[in-house]
Amino acid sequence: MPGPADHDETAPGPGSSGDASGSPGGTDAQDVTDTTGGADAMGGTDAHGGTDAEYSTHAPDAPAGTTTANAGTTPRASSPRGRTQIFVASTLYGAATLAAALDAGCFQPSGRRLLLVSNNAATPETAPPLDTMPGFQPLRSRFDRVLSWNDTISPYHPSGWAPRPDDVPLWERQLRLLWGLGDDDVEVVVESIQVNPALALAQLFPDAAVDVYADGLMSYGPTRNKIDALVGTRIRRLLHLDLVPGLRPLLLTEFGVEQRIVPTAAFTSVLAEVAAAVDDDVLPLRLSGAVPGKAGKAGETGKAGKAGETGKAGGPALLLGQYLSALDILTAEEEERLHVRMLRGVAALGHHHVVFKPHPTAPARWSRMLEKEAGELGLELTVLDTPVLAEVLYERMRPALVAGCFSTALLTAAAFYRLPVARTGTELLLERLSPYQNSNRVPVTIVDALLPDLDADSAVLRGATTPALLRSGEQLTDLVTAVGYAMQAQLHPGLRPVAERYLRDHLDGYTWRYFKRRRLTALGLPGAVPSQLAFLPRNPAVRRAVRRARTVQRRITGKRGRAR
């Protein structure tokens, strides 16, 4: 089969909580060359080469008008066409979101429901797919089959492969045969529709209705890339978690997509199932038995009383790693110092037992550096080397404090489990994110504006047993709207009046961290460089002076960091 044309796409980065925020959703401006093969690239079967029986949970009878993977018969013209729903997931957090949406009745009944697992790690061979991770087993019952997208397009990477337009009919025919879809009406449910593999699946089934689910903070920001109208106009709904109550997502609003919240009670119930399915031998004994019998009933984990009880019981502090250096946001040394800063911050608050949950693909030397620092501080440090959801730890050990950078898991802890949370390093990230349109900007902005700083707000955090949020979701609306407009002004011209009003009324020494003067100047917004000084950014002498000043500033900052 002829190979597809090259595409430049944004490849989602490695992550354990869905997006760049649980784990970050991807690196911006990354060029990936697409290639495809012939029959070998289509030779995938059920996940990891299994048979239907191995992955079917209740194996419903095939609806009239469909074929099976082993039957090559053609359905009769008079038979009604069946419906197959294909759910695409790349993280266990995303699969849990889908399970919660199914439990809450967010999808119409269907003859078959297939879970298509995509391992988007930079090196999939070294990272476990979500269907092999501890806690997945309870989620399997929601689907009739579990399939592997990596096996289907092997040896190509899910984030870098897309079909050539001329090959779409051939690929659709092949996938219908391979997955036993027959002539069913297909519905596709994907995450991150603006990049592959979600975009590729939507293109491979050009007649399929598309639903998008968002399992992270990126849903509150604008769509990072302009989506082809042939795909965008087929998107019916955006399903998202209510991570920031009162704040509405900007994602896909340019297409007028209906927004639906996945009920919190359904999601926490699914997470309780996932946590209960994690064997005790997977987690250290100290963690799995930290609060015996306190996992709570389904739907009760969000009650403030639970968090208060466990906080007073002296649970450990939990540090969340994100591997930001893999996204070229920070250097490896800066991220190491960020983890040490978290450790010192929780120690200053009086915590003696600390649990560090590194990113699954993070270097082991980071953990060793933390262990050395913990020894000097006299802390008991536990490093988790098992890829489990942070929410499993919330259920099993009920931490007294959760600290991180801008992980989605911070908002999950605050909104769903009523646990005290703190951020660190967000101001540095707001400065480093480039270009301004980087899709991680809105998640970092939300966390920075909403959560207390681990160092600066220690008085608020000391002894806290519930989240000490700095603002409400409603109070964040205008800020997120202004940042979203500055990021994607062409997609959202109707947001300009709100952005102008916010910048006129609220732009001060603190809120400048969320904006760049160069970007405001390019869009002609309040706070821009005055027109009589507009020549300065283009003046060679001024540019050289600025570069020298920035070099000196970085050297001074580096020396201060090493001194600490």
Side-chain angles (χ1 to χ4, degrees), residues 215-283:
D215 59 0
L217 292 173
M218 283 190 183
S219 63
Y220 294 105
T223 312
R224 75 176 86 167
N225 302 325
K226 185 176 181 180
I227 298 177
D228 190 333
L230 293 177
V231 174
T233 53
R234 290 159 46 204
I235 301 174
R236 301 179 303 184
R237 299 179 301 168
L238 171 67
L239 292 91
H240 66 97
L241 298 169
D242 199 15
L243 293 169
V244 187
L247 185 63
R248 291 176 58 85
L250 283 176
L251 182 66
L252 298 173
T253 52
E254 65 270 27
F255 292 105
V257 172
E258 175 192 351
Q259 297 179 359
R260 180 165 181 176
I261 294 176
V262 178
T264 298
F267 185 62
T268 53
S269 177
V270 169
L271 292 177
E273 292 182 44
V274 172
V278 176
D279 296 334
D280 288 341
D281 56 359
V282 171
L283 296 176

Side-chain angles (χ1 to χ4, degrees), residues 49-270:
T51 63
D52 292 356
E54 295 174 14
Y55 292 93
S56 297
T57 55
H58 49 274
D61 294 335
T66 66
T67 59
T68 64
N70 298 322
T73 58
T74 302
R76 298 174 182 174
S78 60
S79 300
R81 298 175 66 173
R83 175 188 295 158
T84 297
Q85 294 171 339
I86 301 176
F87 299 85
V88 185
S90 60
T91 65
L92 190 58
Y93 191 92
T97 304
L98 290 174
L102 288 168
D103 292 351
C106 295
F107 296 98
Q108 295 180 356
S110 175
R112 281 177 299 180
R113 286 171 173 161
L114 311 180
L115 178 63
L116 185 61
V117 174
S118 179
N119 188 344
N120 298 342
T123 309
E125 295 79 6
T126 63
L130 71 91
D131 56 322
T132 64
M133 293 178 64
F136 174 75
Q137 192 60 35
L139 307 183
R140 187 186 295 272
S141 62
R142 274 82 171 183
F143 307 97
D144 299 302
R145 293 176 64 191
V146 177
L147 306 167
S148 171
W149 182 238
N150 294 67
D151 290 347
T152 302
I153 64 170
S154 178
Y156 305 105
H157 195 284
S159 299
W161 181 88
R164 189 165 56 187
D166 290 344
D167 291 344
V168 167
L170 300 176
W171 271 98
E172 181 182 9
R173 188 180 308 140
Q174 170 66 8
L175 293 179
R176 284 182 176 274
L177 289 172
L178 186 64
W179 295 343
L181 305 181
D183 64 348
D184 280 10
D185 291 327
V186 173
E187 297 177 2
V188 180
V189 185
V190 298
E191 55 184 344
S192 302
I193 184 62
Q194 61 270 29
V195 295
N196 294 318
L199 185 58
L201 263 296
Q203 293 169 340
L204 287 169
F205 294 96
D207 297 325
V210 179
D211 286 335
V212 176
Y213 72 95
D215 59 0
L217 292 173
M218 283 190 183
S219 63
Y220 294 105
T223 312
R224 75 176 86 167
N225 302 325
K226 185 176 181 180
I227 298 177
D228 190 333
L230 293 177
V231 174
T233 53
R234 290 159 46 204
I235 301 174
R236 301 179 303 184
R237 299 179 301 168
L238 171 67
L239 292 91
H240 66 97
L241 298 169
D242 199 15
L243 293 169
V244 187
L247 185 63
R248 291 176 58 85
L250 283 176
L251 182 66
L252 298 173
T253 52
E254 65 270 27
F255 292 105
V257 172
E258 175 192 351
Q259 297 179 359
R260 180 165 181 176
I261 294 176
V262 178
T264 298
F267 185 62
T268 53
S269 177
V270 169

Side-chain angles (χ1 to χ4, degrees), residues 100 103 142 263-274 294-307 395 398 415-418:
D103 292 351
R142 274 82 171 183
T264 298
F267 185 62
T268 53
S269 177
V270 169
L271 292 177
E273 292 182 44
V274 172
K294 289 290 184 180
K297 296 180 181 179
E300 293 185 350
T301 51
K303 294 183 179 179
K306 292 286 183 181
E395 290 274 354
R398 305 294 297 176
F416 299 161
Y417 292 89
R418 304 297 299 160

